[in-house]
Amino acid sequence: MPDAVEVEDVTRVFEPRKKKDERVVALDEVSLTIPEGEIHGLLGPNGAGKTTLVKILSTVLLPTSGRARVCGHDVVEETKAVRPLIGIVFGGERGLYWRLTGRQNLEYWGALYRLPPAAVRERTRTLLERVGLADRADQRVEQYSRGMKQRLHLARGLIGDAKVLFLDEPTTGMDPIAGREFRTLIGELKGEGRTILLATHDMVEAETVCDRVTLIDRGKIIATESPRSLGHVISRFQRVDVEGAPEPVLGRIAALEGVSAVTRTEDGGARIEVSEEGATAEVLRRLVDAGVTSVRTSLPSLEEVYVQLIGERGLEV
């Protein structure tokens, strides 16, 4: 299967406008490939470079160096070929005309794609139904809730029948039910063969809809794996949950090299945090020798991987 997105050693540097300011390296030799039909998550804290990468891929921003291609077209040299193939959905309330209705917004964007008028009307009607806004289609956007605006954003990103969608925090402002419906819609879009790059802070979103996830921080890619296998990147950070372990045994385990913490849980059990590869085996041996029979080990969730690799600051939205 061909790659829908190819990024090769892309660097983007923002030079200071004033002498006292520092130059900012937003992207530092980033390389990434996204196969056709994949939902790819891009996770990172504010300022990590997520939006900068999306802007370069969507031909809004030029890279300082390196190359990027969408569906085989260079985003710098073949801009006119790239733009009809992509759709962009930014988070928040940017990009909508508040004094126009939802229908008028979509018809305007359809005209920008130079679609025939009949096709614009039909596609607008279909998309409004698909995102659950058919009954509010002729209401001004300024009267929409934040979640409704986000759904209209998604419809706008699809008006040109994009083969590649760039979604930047698309569920901002959505309630849990709307967010779940959105994730279902993302799955449907994948079924249609579309490729999606999803920049998000939402761990549930990334874990449930993404085929692979890339962690990015300070302009550098840290890891690219499936949400499940990404846990093995830091598999040494394991957890051992036990019940019925005597306090002296837990005390000796806490002193072992590679055990970072032993804490009591509310139900009377204990959680042992392992931070070094190989230490889990010794912890389990000590527990079995002490006659403990209720033991459960687990790998970290995607959120815990994120915190370990990027740090707590990465959870700031």
Side-chain angles (χ1 to χ4, degrees):
M1 186 175 291
D3 292 323
V5 175
E6 302 167 84
V7 180
E8 298 177 3
D9 297 323
V10 166
T11 295
R12 173 64 199 198
V13 178
F14 292 97
E15 297 293 343
R17 294 184 178 181
K18 300 178 181 179
K19 290 184 178 180
K20 64 179 180 179
D21 295 334
E22 295 183 0
R23 68 199 298 264
V24 176
V25 181
L27 295 174
D28 190 357
E29 297 186 347
V30 167
S31 294
L32 177 68
T33 57
I34 304 176
E36 184 179 319
E38 180 175 276
I39 302 178
H40 196 100
L42 193 61
L43 290 172
N46 292 329
K50 303 189 302 296
T51 299
T52 299
L53 180 58
V54 169
K55 285 183 176 180
I56 288 174
L57 291 172
S58 56
T59 75
V60 175
L61 192 65
L62 292 174
T64 303
S65 63
R67 296 188 64 185
R69 289 180 289 272
V70 175
C71 298
H73 299 290
D74 190 281
V75 298
V76 176
E77 298 175 359
E78 301 174 90
T79 300
K80 290 185 178 179
V82 171
R83 288 177 178 172
L85 301 174
I86 63 175
I88 312 167
V89 179
F90 287 114
E93 300 175 343
R94 297 169 290 169
L96 296 176
Y97 295 94
W98 287 27
R99 300 216 174 168
L100 298 181
T101 66
R103 188 189 308 278
Q104 289 170 336
N105 266 272
L106 294 186
E107 289 178 345
Y108 171 72
W109 283 97
L112 291 182
Y113 275 95
R114 298 183 178 180
L115 301 174
V120 171
R121 290 192 295 271
E122 177 59 24
R123 197 169 291 176
T124 294
R125 182 190 63 79
T126 301
L127 287 172
L128 287 169
E129 290 179 355
R130 190 168 195 179
V131 299
L133 292 175
D135 59 338
R136 310 290 287 274
D138 298 309
Q139 185 175 341
R140 284 187 176 185
V141 172
E142 64 186 356
Q143 298 173 342
Y144 281 12
S145 68
R146 194 172 181 183
M148 290 168 64
K149 291 172 185 171
Q150 267 317 96
R151 283 184 275 159
L152 184 61
H153 264 302
L154 180 59
R156 191 202 69 181
L158 292 169
I159 193 67
D161 198 24
K163 294 184 181 296
V164 180
L165 270 174
F166 301 115
L167 310 182
D168 192 355
E169 303 289 353
T171 54
T172 300
M174 288 188 184
D175 58 46
I177 294 176
R180 185 174 58 192
E181 292 173 349
F182 174 84
R183 288 189 283 272
T184 300
L185 178 56
I186 293 298
E188 294 173 2
L189 294 175
K190 179 187 176 182
E192 296 171 2
R194 303 182 200 270
T195 304
I196 299 171
L197 176 61
L198 173 65
T200 182
H201 281 89
D202 191 328
M203 301 300 163
V204 174
E205 199 165 70
E207 227 162 351
T208 55
V209 307
C210 292
D211 299 304
R212 290 191 303 154
V213 172
T214 290
L215 296 183
I216 184 171
D217 188 33
R218 295 184 175 94
K220 285 183 173 291
I221 288 181
I222 297 173
T224 298
E225 298 284 348
S226 70
R228 180 180 295 273
S229 63
L230 193 56
H232 293 286
V233 174
I234 58 164
S235 59
R236 64 184 184 276
F237 294 97
Q238 286 191 320
R239 301 168 302 191
V240 181
D241 293 306
V242 300
E243 294 180 10
E247 197 66 41
V249 173
L250 292 177
R252 290 192 291 271
I253 288 176
L256 289 174
E257 185 176 351
V259 174
S260 56
V262 177
T263 56
R264 282 290 184 181
T265 57
E266 294 181 358
D267 59 3
R271 167 164 290 184
I272 302 166
E273 303 280 353
V274 178
S275 58
E276 293 292 338
E277 191 171 357
T280 301
E282 179 61 21
V283 168
L284 294 176
R285 189 186 68 77
R286 297 278 183 115
L287 292 171
V288 171
D289 288 348
V292 178
T293 57
S294 180
V295 180
R296 180 171 61 88
T297 63
S298 59
L299 289 173
S301 67
L302 179 57
E303 180 170 333
E304 289 165 318
V305 173
Y306 185 89
V307 171
Q308 291 288 349
L309 292 179
I310 292 179
E312 291 285 355
R313 68 183 188 85
L315 296 179
E316 297 174 2
V317 179

